[in-house]
Amino acid sequence: MRRTKEEAEKTRQDILKAAIEVFSEKGFASSTLVDIAKKANVTRGAIYWHFNNKNDLFEALIAENDSKVNQMIENIRAVENSPIVALQLGLTQSLKKLDEDPEYRAIEQLLVKSKFAGEIDFLTQKMSKNDHEGFKIMKEIFEKYKEQCNCTEFNISTAIKVVGAFFYGAMILKLSEQSDSPFYIGDDVEDFVAQFFRGIKQ
């Protein structure tokens, strides 16, 4: 029974990897489950065993990345007491992961490209929920920071939006960067993020 479960999980992972390739090559809207089945060398029935439809498969890819990010956040919180430093480390490691994990990068590229193309409106509600959860977490972080630094004029709501805009912009730069671009970040992620947070703290 254990072997059967392991084989089923391997098939699921093969399907997810094939989906990344197919979606990247053809775009989400133009891709079919037949394309993915051929790429994964499985039957279409095998796909339906694990996923309800193409939308469900795409959502599973996003969940894979969310799981990686959540684990990373848990690891940071386990060793870092300062909320603001933990946030800085989280943003830094998220950007570094784009270079270190090809599948993570590919899924993030798919998400951005498909979102701009209006192909994943079925995820709008979920993404909105994630945005609100992220806002809540950052609000708690900056409330603690404001209390610690006694910064009475520190606008928490504005700070959260600034951090969100910075991170989103940095992700776009990393996902589309060219080494000859004047905005090329490359391996300077730590300094790049640190410079931003120096401004936040001031």
Side-chain angles (χ1 to χ4, degrees):
M1 180 64 71
R2 182 181 178 186
R3 183 183 177 190
T4 302
K5 288 182 178 180
E6 289 175 349
E7 289 176 346
E9 179 57 26
K10 182 182 183 305
T11 299
R12 183 178 184 276
Q13 290 302 318
D14 288 343
I15 293 170
L16 289 172
K17 290 178 181 179
I20 293 173
E21 293 184 40
V22 173
F23 289 155
S24 297
E25 292 169 3
K26 295 189 172 186
F28 176 74
S30 299
S31 301
T32 68
L33 293 182
V34 173
D35 297 327
I36 296 169
K38 288 180 179 179
K39 179 70 72 172
N41 195 28
V42 300
T43 64
R44 193 168 60 170
I47 294 181
Y48 281 119
W49 176 263
H50 294 280
F51 307 100
N52 295 325
N53 48 45
K54 190 171 71 169
N55 290 3
D56 188 38
L57 180 49
F58 191 94
E59 193 166 347
L61 290 176
I62 304 304
E64 289 282 312
N65 269 16
D66 287 345
S67 177
K68 291 178 180 179
V69 171
N70 290 337
Q71 184 60 57
M72 183 174 61
I73 291 173
E74 288 182 13
N75 293 341
I76 292 173
R77 286 179 171 176
V79 298
E80 179 55 58
N81 294 324
S82 169
I84 195 77
V85 172
L87 178 60
Q88 180 176 335
L89 287 173
L91 298 188
T92 300
Q93 290 189 20
S94 293
L95 292 174
K96 282 186 172 182
K97 199 165 188 62
L98 294 174
D99 293 327
E100 299 167 351
D101 187 335
E103 287 187 2
Y104 178 85
R105 182 186 186 93
I107 293 172
E108 288 300 313
Q109 285 178 321
L110 278 172
L111 180 59
V112 172
K113 183 178 179 180
S114 301
K115 183 177 181 180
F116 278 123
E119 298 176 337
I120 54 172
D121 291 341
F122 61 93
L123 283 176
T124 298
Q125 187 174 357
K126 181 175 181 179
M127 289 191 290
S128 177
K129 180 181 178 181
N130 288 343
D131 286 344
H132 280 86
E133 289 176 352
F135 189 95
K136 181 180 179 181
I137 291 172
M138 283 200 285
K139 185 173 184 290
E140 293 173 355
I141 289 173
F142 282 120
E143 282 175 345
K144 291 180 180 178
Y145 175 70
K146 184 174 182 176
E147 182 180 349
Q148 291 173 354
C149 70
N150 195 26
C151 310
T152 56
E153 297 182 0
F154 186 81
N155 189 308
I156 293 176
S157 179
T158 298
I160 294 171
K161 293 172 186 176
V162 169
V163 171
F166 165 77
F167 183 59
Y168 185 73
M171 288 282 286
I172 297 298
L173 281 178
K174 286 295 293 179
L175 290 172
S176 60
E177 67 181 356
Q178 300 291 331
S179 59
D180 59 347
S181 169
F183 296 103
Y184 179 68
I185 300 174
D187 296 329
D188 297 328
V189 171
E190 288 189 21
D191 289 340
F192 178 76
V193 177
Q195 176 68 30
F196 172 77
F197 271 85
R198 278 194 287 272
I200 288 289
K201 292 173 183 176
Q202 289 176 1

